Amino acid sequence: DAGVTQSPTHLIKTRGQQVTLRCSPKSGHDTVSWYQQALGQGPQFIFQYYEEEERQRGNFPDRFSGHQFPNYSSELNVNALLLGDSALYLCASSLLGGRAETQYFGPGTRLLVL
Amino acid sequence: GESVGLHLPTLSVQEGDNSIINCAYSNSASDYFIWYKQESGKGPQFIIDIRSNMDKRQGQRVTVLLNKTVKHLSLQIAATQPGDSAVYFCAEKGLGANSKLTFGKGITLSVRP
């Protein structure tokens, strides 16, 4: 049973560029959440997708957008990259109505903006 | 989550000893409180959680204690092993449309051989 997978593992971009990160949830899960983790800090919630719609959103600008597909996989898009967007981007999946709706994380995508 | 800078608090324990990692949370309305373990270069790994209506829950070699009066959560690890070395985060969440995780400050656990 595959866990949460993310691609790519590492990415280098320059300021002003756009990036798309991808996530496949754990088998049987229907909800995907995205988090940003800066070096030495805890993950910060970006947004969550369920039934192909954004259900919750954290305190992130509109440059951060996402999408969920019918197969529950998800993408995170960041436009007009800033140096401060350099971070580990984590995807977590869960099952609505499951016990505690526990979120299981993928390995993350390390984004470096130069 | 709160900013903790580049240097997280560190707890150093001797292999075989018991470890206790503490956390203060902020939202009394959270439904669940969770501990995650994060090893270098990896995503957070779920360890154990506790529902808000409980005060203790045990897993394999781990116990989570919840004190709602003082908004305090702790993780006890029995017979700490070198493989337990990692950064530990507490987190809180609701359910459904309020199920986002809010992470506390991380603590680095270092196990001395």
Side-chain angles (χ1 to χ4, degrees):
Chain A
D1 178 21
V4 180
T5 60
Q6 292 185 245
S7 63
T9 55
H10 295 82
L11 204 51
I12 300 175
K13 292 287 189 178
T14 56
R15 281 179 299 175
Q17 284 190 312
Q18 178 263 343
V19 69
T20 298
L21 310 181
R22 295 175 176 83
C23 171
S24 291
K26 183 179 169 66
S27 178
H29 285 183
D30 56 11
T31 303
V32 174
S33 303
W34 287 92
Y35 295 81
Q36 179 195 65
Q37 186 176 26
L39 193 62
Q41 298 186 20
Q44 300 271 353
F45 175 74
I46 303 175
F47 44 53
Q48 183 182 84
Y49 277 84
Y50 172 70
E51 290 190 336
E52 302 180 49
E53 292 189 357
E54 183 182 291
R55 185 168 69 167
Q56 303 177 72
R57 188 177 183 93
N59 188 25
F60 279 80
D62 291 345
R63 298 187 297 110
F64 289 76
S65 63
H67 188 78
Q68 185 179 33
F69 299 94
N71 67 353
Y72 308 115
S73 66
S74 177
E75 288 182 349
L76 164 66
N77 301 293
V78 187
N79 295 322
L81 284 167
L82 303 174
L83 296 180
D85 294 331
S86 295
L88 179 68
Y89 288 85
L90 295 161
C91 168
S93 74
S94 56
L95 175 65
L96 180 69
R99 186 207 165 271
E101 296 179 357
T102 304
Q103 294 186 26
Y104 294 92
F105 285 84
T109 293
R110 175 74 63 186
L111 173 64
L112 177 61
V113 182
L114 302 176
Chain B
E2 297 180 30
S3 172
V4 295
L6 291 177
H7 301 287
L8 296 169
T10 299
L11 173 66
S12 181
V13 299
Q14 189 73 37
E15 180 179 357
D17 287 352
N18 296 333
S19 303
I20 300 176
I21 303 173
N22 297 305
C23 170
Y25 64 88
S26 57
N27 187 358
S28 299
S30 293
D31 294 291
Y32 281 92
F33 301 88
I34 311 104
W35 283 99
Y36 283 93
K37 169 187 180 183
Q38 188 171 26
E39 298 174 280
S40 182
K42 297 183 179 181
Q45 175 188 354
F46 173 84
I47 302 174
I48 190 168
D49 63 18
I50 186 168
R51 194 167 183 173
S52 60
N53 62 355
M54 301 173 65
D55 53 22
K56 180 179 180 179
R57 186 163 186 247
Q58 289 185 294
Q60 185 177 11
R61 252 189 347 110
V62 295
T63 300
V64 56
L65 299 176
L66 176 63
N67 185 330
K68 294 182 286 295
T69 302
V70 294
K71 296 183 181 179
H72 184 267
L73 186 70
S74 69
L75 176 70
Q76 300 178 0
I77 305 174
T80 311
Q81 303 169 358
D84 295 326
S85 294
V87 176
Y88 289 79
F89 291 98
C90 65
E92 55 188 300
K93 67 186 291 289
L95 294 173
N98 295 312
S99 60
K100 70 173 186 178
L101 285 164
T102 300
F103 284 82
K105 296 180 179 181
I107 298 172
T108 299
L109 176 65
S110 177
V111 181
R112 303 188 304 271

